[in-house]
Amino acid sequence: MGIKPSYIKSMGTALLEQHAGSFNGSFDDNKKVVQEITTIESKMIRNRVAGYITRKVNTTQHRK
């Protein structure tokens, strides 16, 4: 999809720092977690944040 806006990155990074154990490599699971722990009403924003988190989790797993 290209470059992510800074507000997506900042929300995703903050959620990863606060709730690191809640996220895994599955987009669908992360989407549900983001919906439960935030008040994001927009489905598009929620999915973009969940996608960013999923990508971050998957890339850090491959580096280990």
Side-chain angles (χ1 to χ4, degrees):
M1 181 158 204
I3 299 172
K4 299 272 189 245
S6 62
Y7 65 92
I8 299 291
K9 291 181 182 181
S10 63
M11 280 193 282
T13 303
L15 288 173
L16 272 173
E17 289 173 357
Q18 296 170 358
H19 305 280
S22 301
F23 297 106
N24 59 32
S26 169
F27 171 73
D28 290 325
D29 293 343
N30 292 341
K31 186 169 58 171
K32 291 174 187 171
V33 172
V34 169
Q35 185 175 7
E36 291 171 4
I37 63 177
T38 64
T39 58
I40 298 173
E41 294 182 13
S42 169
K43 189 189 320 187
M44 185 175 83
I45 301 297
R46 181 197 67 208
N47 288 347
R48 293 180 80 180
V49 171
Y52 178 76
I53 290 171
T54 302
R55 185 159 182 116
K56 283 298 203 184
V57 168
N58 286 334
T59 55
T60 56
Q61 285 177 354
H62 288 124
R63 290 182 182 167
K64 291 182 179 179

